[in-house]
């Protein structure tokens, strides 16, 4: 049995980045060589120097949308926060959503929540995970209103309100397909210039859901089940990846997409939980940010890089003052 306790480490809270760097490419990058069992301290600007002819850098072009809505219940004091999680697939018009609602205990089935911009929602019911099903109506277009009044869904470990600058900074420069409630953060370091210096790139889409922040509920990794997330791979990207000698995955979302679908075009859902012992068939190298202790993402990184080597590398990053999590520094595992 693999225990979640084996994937714990000590992280001083002051290392959790609360603001992005002014320059996207100015992050530090810990480069880990799996074969040699060593690491070195570098800068993300060195990223392309680790690429070889025949490499293809695979990017997740999912776009974050402002998923936090602030409203109120008519006749009641206090605000209601609604977090859009995902649309209900069985309702074709995209106006029925699974949401997190706070304060949840006070918002009951049948209640109405009103927002700015002529947007309102009726609570249809709730499920076992605390999510509510809400049906929205909009005086204007739903998405146009959400993009206007919504707040950037910064992760819970960023302990500040979102700012206007987060709309641009908590988004990759190559983001295109709207659908994520959290950024695929390894891609935040790229600039157009560094992208242009890559020998080859391919784009996939995996829409990041709230499951990326949820703690694993079982100490036994055999019992862990992850939320599903939707992905898609175009014909063009699949062809570029098949032509490559090595696929360099930018982020754990890309790794999960590649190891679910390979280089076959199409779309679907994945709830793949990657843990030590997993047979990586497509990922040749991985760029990733630093992740939370005892998280599914850190477990994935340990599966790819080796648990002991990753724990030693993380300890070195902590000792050297690396910035952690979404707005933090990065690690290249080759």
């Amino acid at each position: 049995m693999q225990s979640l306790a084996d994937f714990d480490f000590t992280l001083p809270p002051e290392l959790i980045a609360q603001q992005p760097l002014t320059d996207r490419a100015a992050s530090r990058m810990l480069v880990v060589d799996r074969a040699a069992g060593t690491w070195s301290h570098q800068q993300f600007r060195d990223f392309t120097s680790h690429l070889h002819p025949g490499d293809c850098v695979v990017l997740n072009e999912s776009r974050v949308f402002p998923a936090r809505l602030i409203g109120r219940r008519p006749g009641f004091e206090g605000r209601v926060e609604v977090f859009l999680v995902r649309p209900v697939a069985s309702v074709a018009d995209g106006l029925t959503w699974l949401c997190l609602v706070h304060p949840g205990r006070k918002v009951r089935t049948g209640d109405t929540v009103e927002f700015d911009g002529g947007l309102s929602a009726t609570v249809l019911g709730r499920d076992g995970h605390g999510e509510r099903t809400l049906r929205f109506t909009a005086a204007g277009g739903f998405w146009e209103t959400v993009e206007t009044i919504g707040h950037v869904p910064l992760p819970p470990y960023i302990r500040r309100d979102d700012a206007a600058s987060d709309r641009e900074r908590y988004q990759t420069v190559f983001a295109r397909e709207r659908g994520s409630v959290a950024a695929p953060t390894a891609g935040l370091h790229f600039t157009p210039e560094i992208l242009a210096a890559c020998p080859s790139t391919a784009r996939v889409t995996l829409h990041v859901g709230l499951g990326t922040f949820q703690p694993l509920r079982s100490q036994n990794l055999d019992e862990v089940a992850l939320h599903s997330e939707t992905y898609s791979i175009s014909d063009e990207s699949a062809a570029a990846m098949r032509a490559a000698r090595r696929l360099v995955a930018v982020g754990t979302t890309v790794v999960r997409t590649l190891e679910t679908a390979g280089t076959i075009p199409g779309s679907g859902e994945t709830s793949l939980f990657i843990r030590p012992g997993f047979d990586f068939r497509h990922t040749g190298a991985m760029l990733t940010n630093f992740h939370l202790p005892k998280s599914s993402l850190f477990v994935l990184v340990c599966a790819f890089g080796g648990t002991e080597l990753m724990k030693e590398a993380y300890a070195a990053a902590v000792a050297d003052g690396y910035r952690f999590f979404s707005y933090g520094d990065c690690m290249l595992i080759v």
Side-chain angles (χ1 to χ4, degrees):
M1 181 191 83
Q2 290 181 320
S3 172
L4 184 60
D6 295 333
F7 300 91
D8 196 8
F9 60 89
T10 300
L11 177 65
E14 61 269 21
L15 295 185
I16 301 173
Q18 299 296 308
Q19 299 283 353
L21 299 177
T22 302
D23 179 2
R24 286 178 180 266
S27 296
R28 302 174 69 189
M29 182 173 71
L30 190 70
V31 180
V32 180
D33 186 323
R34 292 179 291 168
T38 59
W39 56 83
S40 60
H41 301 285
Q42 300 186 32
Q43 300 290 321
F44 180 71
R45 296 189 188 281
D46 301 319
F47 173 73
T48 56
S49 69
H50 295 277
L51 302 179
H52 310 299
D55 281 353
C56 180
V57 177
V58 187
L59 309 160
N60 181 4
E61 63 179 4
S62 181
R63 185 173 185 82
V64 179
F65 66 95
R68 289 180 59 244
L69 306 176
I70 306 300
R72 61 210 150 270
R73 290 184 298 160
F76 293 88
E77 295 184 355
R79 72 180 197 172
V80 175
E81 180 174 322
V82 172
F83 196 111
L84 300 171
V85 177
R86 60 188 180 277
V88 175
S90 60
V91 183
D93 62 11
L95 294 176
T96 303
W97 282 73
L98 291 177
C99 305
L100 295 178
V101 179
H102 179 79
R105 293 180 180 177
K106 295 182 179 180
V107 181
R108 299 178 174 87
T109 299
D111 282 355
T112 297
V113 183
E114 295 181 346
F115 309 91
D116 291 339
L119 183 70
S120 64
T122 301
V123 181
L124 302 183
R126 63 179 298 170
D127 72 4
H129 296 289
E131 293 171 336
R132 271 36 174 207
T133 302
L134 270 63
R135 175 71 182 175
F136 287 86
T137 58
F142 172 76
W143 278 116
E144 290 83 353
T145 306
V146 167
E147 292 285 353
T148 300
I149 70 169
H151 292 261
V152 177
L154 294 178
Y157 45 73
I158 294 181
R159 294 179 291 278
R160 62 174 175 83
D161 292 335
D162 62 305
S165 59
D166 290 309
R167 284 193 170 237
E168 179 267 338
R169 200 56 184 81
Y170 193 62
Q171 197 83 264
T172 65
V173 299
F174 46 82
R176 291 181 56 191
E177 299 293 330
R178 179 175 56 207
S180 281
V181 299
T185 55
L188 294 178
H189 308 282
F190 283 85
T191 63
E193 294 74 20
I194 291 178
L195 278 176
C198 296
S200 173
T201 62
R203 313 293 178 90
V204 302
T205 300
L206 184 138
H207 293 315
V208 185
L210 273 181
T212 192
F213 298 124
Q214 292 183 345
L216 298 181
R217 292 185 170 89
S218 175
Q219 290 296 313
N220 182 355
L221 297 192
D222 294 336
E223 299 173 351
V224 168
L226 300 184
H227 282 69
S228 64
E229 296 170 318
T230 60
Y231 69 85
S232 62
I233 302 173
S234 68
D235 291 339
E236 180 182 9
S237 288
M241 291 189 293
R242 287 196 297 272
R245 295 181 59 185
R246 181 177 70 161
L247 298 181
V248 180
V250 176
T252 57
T253 61
V254 171
V255 173
R256 293 181 70 229
T257 302
L258 292 178
E259 299 304 329
T260 297
T263 57
I264 306 300
S267 60
E269 293 190 354
T270 180
S271 56
L272 181 64
F273 177 42
I274 296 176
R275 54 195 173 99
F278 183 83
D279 181 18
F280 289 87
R281 297 180 179 273
H282 303 283
T283 308
M286 173 170 56
L287 179 76
T288 182
N289 277 23
F290 291 92
H291 302 293
L292 281 77
K294 300 169 70 173
S295 65
S296 64
L297 304 182
F298 183 57
V299 173
L300 184 155
V301 168
C302 288
F304 187 73
T307 301
E308 292 307 314
L309 180 59
M310 288 299 97
K311 292 176 77 171
E312 291 171 4
Y314 264 57
V318 168
D320 217 56
Y322 275 64
R323 302 166 72 248
F324 271 64
F325 304 160
S326 295
Y327 275 152
D329 295 316
C330 59
M331 172 187 285
L332 177 63
I333 309 172
V334 298

